[in-house]
Amino acid sequence: MIRLALILALGLALPASAAPLATTLFGAQQAGSAQPPSPLGSYAAGCIAGAVEIEETAPGWQAMRLSRNRNWGHPSALDVLRRVAAAAQAAGTPRLLVGDISQPRGGPMTSGHASHQMGLDIDVWFRPGPETPLSRQQREEMGAWTVVSADRLRVNDRWTDAHMATLRAAAEDPKVARIFVNAAIKRHLCEVAPAPRPWLRKIRAWWGHDSHFHVRLACPEGALGCVPQAPPPAGDGCDASLDWWFSDEALNPAPSSGPRKRDVMTLADLPEACLAVLDAD
């Protein structure tokens, strides 16, 4: 456990260039804090108090990449996962394979995501899981499946109706704010989803997300320290705004320069309450 005095000794009062990285401080935490559950800050600049550990193996899912210790989240994330897993099973998927949710106390991760910092983001693989539990080694080594064609313009033959049913169930959950998928998946849903389909508004195109979908929960009721994301634009998103995702600019974006914000964040970039999260038992 990192105590307040140690954090200060590590350089919280120093200039940002000399302060310890938030990825280091939060990545070192092995368990959630003994505090009431509370997401603090924003999805890409925050932390979570009182996170619960999501079961590694449940009737409806199996958590993957256990060595990362990223199967922690807000209790509402566990509630949503249970409902989505039940819908997936009803559609014919034996078990979901669950990727990253959050670190035990949230915060920026040492690798991978910019978001997933408040325990309100859940990655779910498109590859269906088996009925029998996987070993820890299998969970480390098994690869995810892309359901998008090589040219990134359409779904491939691994796409099934069960995928659409699962996405619909997640999008219709009142606690879900939006779901990120590859643009080719969004386009396919726009082409085949029957009306009425207001749930498509929550399905948003984003880079990558061809082998998993990213469920983002809304700030829980009463979570005063949680900064919500703006609601998706009105409509189902099956309009000219989707066409841009198939332009050369979107399909072949220019490489980013400089470090990612996540990699240079310090405690000064996070809500002040995140210091108490690190300091708690």
Side-chain angles (χ1 to χ4, degrees):
M1 196 69 60
I2 296 180
R3 308 298 343 168
L4 176 59
L6 177 57
I7 294 172
L8 292 172
L10 284 171
L12 182 60
L14 296 176
S17 60
L21 295 175
T23 54
T24 301
L25 297 173
F26 282 94
Q29 302 303 306
Q30 298 301 305
S33 64
Q35 297 171 293
S38 180
L40 301 165
S42 64
Y43 299 95
C47 63
I48 176 170
V52 297
E53 187 174 12
I54 308 301
E55 296 101 318
E56 295 177 0
T57 303
W61 72 83
Q62 300 188 54
M64 305 299 285
R65 306 297 190 261
L66 298 177
S67 63
R68 296 178 177 176
N69 198 26
R70 296 176 178 178
N71 56 316
W72 296 78
H74 189 272
S76 61
L78 179 58
D79 293 340
V80 169
L81 184 55
R82 286 173 175 155
R83 290 193 290 270
V84 173
Q89 287 184 314
T93 300
R95 292 192 192 192
L96 297 177
L97 297 180
V98 180
D100 290 346
I101 302 176
S102 185
Q103 298 178 137
R105 305 195 184 198
M109 294 181 176
T110 55
S111 64
H113 315 280
S115 59
H116 289 258
Q117 295 193 29
M118 292 197 297
L120 298 177
D121 293 291
I122 310 169
D123 283 348
V124 179
W125 290 17
F126 284 117
R127 181 173 184 171
E131 293 184 8
T132 56
L134 298 166
S135 68
R136 290 187 69 90
Q137 183 174 353
Q138 287 173 316
R139 297 180 199 222
E140 294 296 328
E141 298 177 352
M142 179 181 287
W145 282 349
T146 180
V147 294
V148 172
S149 61
D151 61 8
R152 293 172 288 168
L153 300 180
R154 61 191 63 82
V155 297
N156 62 26
D157 58 7
R158 285 177 169 159
W159 178 265
T160 69
D161 290 342
H163 288 124
M164 182 169 73
T166 303
L167 285 169
R168 177 171 182 168
E172 290 181 336
D173 194 293
K175 291 189 177 182
V176 171
R178 63 183 67 209
I179 299 170
F180 300 105
V181 299
N182 187 274
I185 297 171
K186 173 71 175 186
R187 172 193 269 178
H188 179 74
L189 293 173
C190 288
E191 293 172 348
V192 305
R197 51 189 200 180
W199 58 274
L200 272 184
R201 180 187 180 195
K202 291 185 183 178
I203 307 290
R204 312 308 300 182
W206 201 250
W207 287 281
H209 295 85
D210 59 317
S211 61
H212 73 276
F213 61 95
H214 176 163
V215 180
R216 172 161 291 170
L217 276 61
C219 289
E221 185 177 356
L224 301 180
C226 181
V227 180
Q229 186 173 3
D236 60 12
C238 301
D239 51 24
S241 64
L242 182 59
D243 295 338
W244 177 82
W245 286 96
F246 300 96
S247 67
D248 183 68
E249 180 183 13
L251 291 174
N252 301 290
S256 58
S257 59
R260 295 180 63 173
K261 180 181 178 181
R262 175 207 68 200
D263 296 328
V264 296
M265 293 176 72
T266 68
L267 286 179
D269 299 306
L270 302 178
E272 186 176 350
C274 288
L275 178 59
V277 173
L278 284 176
D279 190 48
D281 291 332

